[in-house]
Amino acid sequence: KNKQGWEHSSGEGIMNHLYDLEMSWFQHAKIAWKMSFKLFLLSLAALLHGLFPFMLTKTASSGIKKLHANLQ
């Protein structure tokens, strides 16, 4: 059992990911949606940088590095 008292089932199931992270569906969704929004904004920064190389020179790369560090 995990911290929430859930029994971990063996095999390859969708819910195993949540059990491994010890999160509820809503907790996981909240984090995933937040990250998705941040990635969307970073993609816009990269798009603008591609059109105007003098703008947002480190925004996308530093933002992705921060997101990656938070996942670790």
Side-chain angles (χ1 to χ4, degrees), residues 11-32:
E12 294 295 324
I14 294 170
M15 297 305 287
N16 283 347
H17 176 58
L18 298 179
Y19 293 132
D20 292 340
L21 295 174
E22 298 182 351
M23 289 184 178
S24 69
W25 181 91
F26 185 74
Q27 291 169 322
H28 183 270
K30 183 179 173 183
I31 291 169

Side-chain angles (χ1 to χ4, degrees), residues 15 26 31 35 43-44 47-48 52-53 56 69 72:
M15 297 305 287
F26 185 74
I31 291 169
M35 181 171 289
S43 72
L44 292 179
L47 178 68
L48 285 173
F52 308 103
L56 307 168
Q72 301 305 313

